[in-house]
């Protein structure tokens, strides 16, 4: 990718979040030529979340409400795609509604998704605990109230730690975990992420 011109365009900062460290060029699919016009300069944090190798942190992306106004089409495309992934967040939905793209740029944005699975990324369900912290598979959570476990004949007490949770993929309000040897579904509103 075009080195100095590319970095100068973004003021030697990530063109999506404005970070200054760990920058590299990222080709914006489905374009195949790795030119500055078809790429964005991004930091490692943005890259791992775009590629799905790290959980999506919606707070990291709030700066898109500023960087989405870039005049660079490849930056506009990536901003649109990330806002679309985060559209369950009120701020992202509002920004997406405000973002105007020329027809050609919009077609580019809609034509591909850098995660490799546009629909899964766009429809990704985000699980949050009672404090709004994002939950991931394998996390440990603590119950915030006593829960009557129907069918198992016991009450899971407030303060009980549930280790190694799994997420119910199609329902942001449900996680699964093991309490007293029983695998149960737990509402996210009654848990708090530990650690």
């Amino acid at each position: 990718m075009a080195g100095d011109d590319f970095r100068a365009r973004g003021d030697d900062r990530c063109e999506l979040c404005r970070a200054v460290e760990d920058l590299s060029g990222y080709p914006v699919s489905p374009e195949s030529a790795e030119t500055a016009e078809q790429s964005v300069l991004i930091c490692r944090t943005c890259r791992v979340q775009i590629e799905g190798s790290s959980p999506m942190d919606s707070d990291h992306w709030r700066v898109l409400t500023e960087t989405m106004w870039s005049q660079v089409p490849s930056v506009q495309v990536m901003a649109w795609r990330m806002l679309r992934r985060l559209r369950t967040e009120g701020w992202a939905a509002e920004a997406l509604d405000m973002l105007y793209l020329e027809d050609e740029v919009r077609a580019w944005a809609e034509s591909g998704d850098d995660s490799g699975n546009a629909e899964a990324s766009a429809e990704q369900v985000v699980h949050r605990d009672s404090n709004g912290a994002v939950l991931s598979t394998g996390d440990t959570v603590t119950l915030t109230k006593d829960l009557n476990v129907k069918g198992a004949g016991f009450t899971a007490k407030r303060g009980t730690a549930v280790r190694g949770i799994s997420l119910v993929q199609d329902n942001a309000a449900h996680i699964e975990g093991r309490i007293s040897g029983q695998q149960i579904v737990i509402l996210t509103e009654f848990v708090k992420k530990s650690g």
Side-chain angles (χ1 to χ4, degrees):
M1 290 176 222
D4 294 336
D5 293 340
F6 190 43
R7 288 184 172 272
R9 178 184 84 190
D11 197 25
D12 218 12
R13 291 176 169 268
C14 174
E15 292 182 286
L16 298 179
C17 79
R18 310 303 294 148
V20 295
E21 294 180 2
D22 241 347
L23 303 175
S24 61
Y26 186 82
V28 181
S29 69
E31 307 297 336
S32 56
E34 293 188 10
T35 64
E37 291 78 28
Q38 296 175 346
S39 302
V40 290
L41 184 65
I42 60 173
C43 67
R44 184 179 183 286
T45 303
C46 286
R47 179 182 293 269
V48 297
Q49 291 186 43
I50 289 168
E51 293 174 344
S53 53
S54 179
M56 191 72 90
D57 175 8
S58 66
D59 288 335
H60 173 80
W61 295 102
R62 284 183 179 268
V63 72
L64 286 176
T65 58
E66 297 171 26
T67 57
M68 70 182 196
W69 301 113
S70 170
Q71 297 301 304
V72 180
S74 58
V75 177
Q76 294 172 352
V77 167
M78 287 307 300
W80 183 89
R81 289 178 182 173
M82 296 314 295
L83 288 169
R84 190 164 152 73
R85 286 190 198 183
L86 293 162
R87 70 180 181 265
T88 57
E89 303 284 332
W91 65 266
E94 288 176 24
L96 194 57
D97 287 343
M98 287 190 293
L99 182 57
Y100 172 78
L101 300 179
E102 295 290 337
D103 291 343
E104 183 178 298
V105 176
R106 186 171 188 89
W108 180 11
E110 292 174 348
S111 68
D113 184 285
D114 293 275
S115 71
N117 187 339
E119 283 310 304
S121 297
E123 304 295 281
Q124 184 178 26
V125 175
V126 178
H127 294 73
R128 295 184 183 278
D129 73 359
S130 58
N131 295 326
V134 176
L135 298 171
S136 301
T137 298
D139 281 347
T140 297
V141 296
T142 305
L143 300 181
T144 59
K145 70 174 267 182
D146 289 353
L147 300 177
N148 183 17
V149 182
K150 295 179 179 153
F154 71 93
T155 299
K157 296 291 184 190
R158 178 177 182 233
T160 300
V162 183
R163 291 174 174 70
I165 65 166
S166 56
L167 308 177
V168 176
Q169 293 305 318
D170 59 350
N171 190 334
H174 293 163
I175 60 171
E176 292 183 347
R178 190 168 291 281
I179 299 176
S180 298
Q182 297 281 334
Q183 184 77 7
I184 63 169
V185 174
I186 307 166
L187 294 176
T188 56
E189 66 185 289
F190 301 134
V191 300
K192 173 176 71 170
K193 188 172 181 177
S194 302

